[in-house]
Amino acid sequence: MLYPVFFAAVYLSHLTLLRLPYFWDEGGYYIPAAWDFFRTGTLIPVTTVTNAHPPLPSILLAGWWHLSGFVPSGTRTFICMVAAAALLAVFRLTRDLLGTAAAVATTLLTATYPIWYAQSTLAHADIFAAAFTLWGLSFYLQSATEPGAPRLDSETWVSTQRKISAAILFSLAALSKETAIITPLALAIWETFLYLRDRNLRSHLGWIAALLAPILPLAAWYAYHFHRTGFVFGNPEFLRYNATANLDAHRIALCLYHRFLHLTMHMNMFVPVISTAAVLLLPAVSTRARLPRPILNAIAVILFANWIAFSVLGGALLTRYLLPMYPLILLVCVAEWQRRLPRWEGLVALSFAAFLAGIWINPPYAFAPEDNLTYRDMIVLHQRAVALIEHKWPQATVLTAWPAYSELQRPELGYTRVPIKAFAIQNFTMGEIAKAAADPGDYDTALLFSTKWAPPPGRANLAQRNAPADARYFDFHEDVRPAEAAAILHGELVWQASTRGEWVAILRFPRIVNANLSLK
């Protein structure tokens, strides 16, 4: 009964974002993969590189497109539906553990946390995996405090239903994003530890089986992928970038540091986390609900496992990989506020205000645009630039980098009505611009843009001391500014625009072509 309310709230709060064309990894993989399945029924993408991501998001998106049509507004409406389902899981989980007031607070803070807010309309696999994971946790944590003594048959049946439901939901999460398997595997290991400690087979064996069950459908998908492509975990470059190239002790240490900040400080998460650390110094109010110790232990296991795993796996330090972790952190915070403060609603209001500010106000360090509404600024600027090229120079060959390379060549992404020829370079560093200048005959136009948001020169930058290591391990780099690029490439800067630190520019290159006729 609450779901329509949750959906309406998510939909209306994202109303101005629903018609935006596809962004970054949406256009790079998820939308093309779903588009291929929608048109041809193939689970292996054919118009983009296959990287072995499980197919459930493609199947769900394609099924929805049969109802809504293949338009960005239809896709984003569907993602709002998925985000609303995830928030409903947060509400159910918190209500069962702490009561309705705490559930309202935790759900509200989750919905307004900038990373969650931004991802609530973006068609990445992470929002699907988060929804299924949180629903699976709502069944698992509901049973975490059950005693091990024999129960009535009706109670045993209810417990079995919870295990089956959790196994199905965690399996769907793994079929949405392969890394979602981390959470049920961590809990299975935890249940095994509890069994070895308690020697109570009846209490733990069923959950161990349920939590290991998601391995089977995920293994079946990889077997199918290997049968069709010859690769288990995607193409070799994808595997190298996301796994084998990451096994460096220094890099893992840096990732642990970054991921810890992502979980506790990033996008104003420091407000509820530091507030919680402060209230722990206060005595508890005895009549207030508290999280049982088994629940806290399970949440700690989940957070620790994901913190470690995502410090090793993944070439990019994207915060959306941790999407289902943020509601758990907020749940713990709200639990302590409610338990130790008579007027705990004040900290909810303070955190809510901090999260609202973070949706629009950028932090004093570099971050991925998809962590707040900076992604909208980037999309709008790219829309304007591509529309200008399509109108004035439709026959141009455009020097640019990904994702603009796909935006120009794939009309289905929503930026252009017809494909525009493009010449790709890796990025807009000095080295790549110099390479392009050495071979000017391959393009006559250039579309340059900021690839990451960073504080403007002269402004505070808290991450500046980490710049050399971030550049070495995480592809952080400094983009050449438009005027400087125009001088190096011997072109003319014909148009540029910027919004809140994001910028885009178009260069044109007058070329002299030596044409001769020859008789053969």
Side-chain angles (χ1 to χ4, degrees), residues 236-503:
E237 176 58 25
F238 173 81
L239 182 62
R240 186 204 65 80
Y241 180 72
N242 287 282
T244 58
N246 302 340
L247 304 179
D248 177 277
H250 187 207
R251 185 189 189 280
I252 292 174
L254 286 172
C255 286
L256 288 168
Y257 166 74
H258 281 292
R259 288 305 192 188
F260 180 78
L261 294 180
H262 289 166
L263 287 168
T264 60
M265 298 291 165
H266 186 45
M267 286 295 166
N268 296 343
M269 182 62 83
F270 70 87
V271 175
V273 168
I274 292 178
S275 298
T276 303
V279 302
L280 288 175
L281 302 175
L282 302 175
V285 179
S286 60
T287 58
R288 296 287 178 79
R290 60 172 294 177
L291 286 177
R293 177 59 60 181
I295 299 292
L296 282 172
N297 289 340
I299 291 175
V301 166
I302 295 166
L303 293 174
F304 182 79
N306 281 269
W307 175 47
I308 297 299
F310 285 113
S311 297
V312 177
L313 301 174
L317 289 176
L318 297 176
T319 55
R320 59 178 152 93
Y321 297 166
L322 299 167
L323 201 58
M325 300 301 106
Y326 300 118
L328 299 181
I329 294 170
L330 293 171
L331 185 155
V332 174
C333 292
V334 171
E336 293 302 324
W337 300 345
Q338 180 179 255
R339 183 178 171 225
R340 297 174 184 273
L341 290 176
R343 301 302 301 271
W344 58 277
E345 297 87 352
L347 288 182
V348 176
L350 177 64
S351 299
F352 176 74
F355 288 172
L356 278 183
I359 293 174
W360 289 280
I361 300 174
N362 295 335
Y365 50 82
F367 68 97
E370 63 182 35
D371 286 357
N372 68 1
L373 282 184
T374 299
Y375 87 88
R376 180 192 178 277
D377 300 333
M378 188 173 183
I379 289 176
V380 171
L381 288 173
H382 284 222
Q383 275 185 297
R384 293 171 61 190
V386 174
L388 183 61
I389 292 172
E390 182 184 24
H391 175 68
K392 286 193 170 185
W393 310 287
Q395 303 303 317
T397 299
V398 183
L399 172 75
T400 192
W402 188 84
Y405 180 80
S406 296
E407 295 164 3
L408 290 163
Q409 294 200 314
R410 302 189 66 127
E412 65 268 22
L413 300 184
Y415 292 85
T416 178
R417 291 168 296 179
V418 295
I420 298 173
K421 289 180 290 184
F423 178 78
I425 57 177
Q426 291 293 321
N427 50 49
F428 304 117
T429 59
M430 184 64 73
E432 288 294 306
I433 294 294
K435 288 180 185 177
D439 193 8
D442 290 324
Y443 54 89
D444 52 37
T445 305
L447 172 57
L448 311 180
F449 56 90
S450 50
T451 55
K452 289 181 177 64
W453 191 92
R459 301 278 287 274
N461 186 346
L462 299 182
Q464 194 164 10
R465 64 185 180 87
N466 297 325
D470 291 343
R472 177 182 176 185
Y473 292 111
F474 309 122
D475 193 32
F476 278 44
H477 57 264
E478 185 175 349
D479 296 314
V480 174
R481 304 299 291 189
E484 188 178 3
I488 297 171
L489 295 171
H490 305 291
E492 178 186 359
L493 179 60
V494 295
W495 181 84
Q496 63 179 328
S498 63
T499 303
R500 299 192 314 138
E502 289 289 316
W503 57 265

